[in-house]
Amino acid sequence: MGGTLARRTDTVISAINMRICVVAACLLMASQATGYTMDDLCQQWSGYGYIGNPSNCHAWGYCKNQEVVAWGTCPNGLVFNAQAGSCDYANTTVCSTSAVETCSNVKSPMYVANPLNCTEYAYCDGTGQISYGDCGTGGVYSASSTKCIWGPACPQDTICRFMLSNIFVGDPNQCGNYINCVNGYGTSEKCSSTANPYYNKATGNCQSTNPCTGEDSNSGNSDQFTVGQTNATACDEEAFKAADPLTVNGESVDYRYVSDGVTCYGYYYCAAVNATGYWNQCPTGTQFNAGKCVSPASFVCTHNRCGNVNNPFMADEGCKNYTICSSGITGSCPTNAPYYDEVNNICTTKIPDYAICNSTAST
């Protein structure tokens, strides 16, 4: 099922020429390496028009009212150019889903990203041949600059890769943010207005109320505590005795610091057993463990490890996966550098010697 889309110089084709999908199950929504489907793309866009199919660079969809209402395939081997919204010649258009296909068609030497592995890039020699290069440990390829940069985030892994250029869409990884898609690239942004700080993907406007369900941020700094906040039971006998004894200048002191049991970075000052607890937090970049504020990598916190740190990513136990702190989504390093080093913010071939990496919970 579906229609065909001829090569056009204009970016928008009349909806009259499209075959409208009646049964949603008929839509070509197979996910590609990015994990996006055409349905995902349309849900983030308040406008209407053509999008690329993340599973097939020859195929397209049409968004209207945040739904895929039509789909089709370019005729005669043409490749769909998502940024222009039209089918184009394969010898001049990068296939968004296959470096091999791009290199088999282009007539001039060029570098392209490998859609299946962001640490690699492909070189097309212009005669149909392809060779691969690697960005090395911790590096990823940036197609926009044709250079290797530090990872682990992949510049090509954005819905803009399949969207029209010069449009605004919602960020599927952080509700309430927007992305300005330009030439297949874009970064997540917050609305600049203090009065209207939230982006509504359904209207395409910034607004005062949060349109998201649940948290729109995974920062871990939930504002449920304030410095100096009191708790009458935080210093009960069980919690006080479980806390590590403290010494100052080599001498023992009577007070203790007790974890708040909710965050990785908060604790209560307890002057004595059953005293009122006063909440405090570790300096930014550190977390609370055994009565001290220490590096998050030095121990395994069972709460949200993204709290109170400036890192965009934090390793999960075993360091084979990491958490994207802005959204809470789990990511993973490539197979040729499978471990995430959160201190240096790179993917590496050798497992880092941090407590979080040596945890047996994930092995």
Side-chain angles (χ1 to χ4, degrees):
M1 296 182 68
T4 59
L5 184 64
R7 183 176 186 271
R8 298 289 298 266
T9 56
D10 55 329
T11 58
V12 179
I13 298 175
S14 172
I16 297 175
N17 295 326
M18 298 185 300
R19 295 185 62 183
I20 304 300
C21 179
V22 177
V23 182
C26 297
L27 298 178
L28 300 176
M29 295 183 182
S31 62
Q32 188 256 354
T34 61
Y36 300 122
T37 66
M38 291 199 294
D39 193 33
D40 294 331
L41 306 183
C42 288
Q43 287 176 5
Q44 299 299 326
W45 189 20
S46 62
Y48 58 89
Y50 291 99
I51 59 171
N53 186 329
S55 66
N56 183 352
C57 68
H58 298 278
W60 51 268
Y62 191 89
C63 297
K64 186 177 181 180
N65 297 325
Q66 294 185 284
E67 295 181 350
V68 183
V69 297
W71 74 102
T73 304
C74 296
N76 305 320
L78 296 178
V79 172
F80 186 72
N81 183 334
Q83 284 68 62
S86 62
C87 294
D88 215 330
Y89 296 117
N91 61 359
T92 59
T93 307
V94 172
C95 173
S96 61
T97 58
S98 173
V100 172
E101 184 163 343
T102 297
C103 288
S104 67
N105 289 300
V106 296
K107 302 304 180 185
S108 299
M110 63 187 301
Y111 288 95
V112 295
N114 181 356
L116 303 179
N117 187 344
C118 199
T119 67
E120 291 184 349
Y121 56 89
Y123 176 71
C124 308
D125 68 358
T127 67
Q129 301 300 310
I130 184 173
S131 58
Y132 291 97
D134 191 278
C135 290
T137 301
V140 295
Y141 181 71
S142 170
S144 60
S145 64
T146 64
K147 295 179 180 179
C148 290
I149 61 175
W150 285 112
C154 183
Q156 289 78 241
D157 190 11
T158 166
I159 64 173
C160 292
R161 177 173 155 196
F162 309 104
M163 309 293 287
L164 288 169
S165 191
N166 299 314
I167 64 170
F168 290 88
V169 295
D171 181 355
N173 294 323
Q174 189 165 1
C175 184
N177 278 21
Y178 68 87
I179 302 174
N180 181 16
C181 293
V182 179
N183 298 325
Y185 300 92
T187 56
S188 182
E189 302 284 349
K190 293 183 179 294
C191 294
S192 59
S193 170
T194 55
N196 299 294
Y198 301 106
Y199 182 78
N200 188 328
K201 64 185 181 183
T203 64
N205 297 316
C206 294
Q207 62 185 47
S208 59
T209 56
N210 192 339
C212 314
T213 56
E215 293 291 333
D216 67 333
S217 172
N218 190 54
S219 67
N221 300 323
S222 58
D223 294 330
Q224 59 185 305
F225 297 104
T226 56
V227 174
Q229 180 177 328
T230 60
N231 186 315
T233 62
C235 304
D236 63 23
E237 184 175 0
E238 181 180 358
F240 190 89
K241 288 184 176 180
D244 290 82
L246 303 175
T247 59
V248 177
N249 296 325
E251 296 185 4
S252 298
V253 294
D254 294 331
Y255 62 86
R256 295 186 183 182
Y257 298 133
V258 175
S259 170
D260 63 23
V262 178
T263 71
C264 288
Y265 57 90
Y267 60 92
Y268 288 100
Y269 166 79
C270 298
V273 176
N274 294 323
T276 297
Y278 292 86
W279 191 85
N280 207 336
Q281 71 179 71
C282 290
T284 301
T286 62
Q287 295 180 345
F288 183 77
N289 183 50
K292 300 178 181 179
C293 293
V294 297
S295 166
S298 66
F299 74 107
V300 180
C301 179
T302 57
H303 306 300
N304 186 346
R305 299 189 68 248
C306 286
N308 205 46
V309 297
N310 290 323
N311 287 19
F313 314 98
M314 291 295 286
D316 296 342
E317 292 182 58
C319 293
K320 291 184 178 179
N321 296 312
Y322 55 84
T323 296
I324 302 173
C325 288
S326 63
S327 63
I329 293 176
T330 298
S332 59
C333 289
T335 54
N336 62 340
Y339 300 105
Y340 179 61
D341 181 339
E342 69 182 25
V343 174
N344 296 297
N345 193 27
I346 61 172
C347 291
T348 180
T349 57
K350 183 179 180 181
I351 185 168
D353 189 20
Y354 309 141
I356 188 65
C357 300
N358 296 323
S359 171
T360 58
S362 63
T363 58

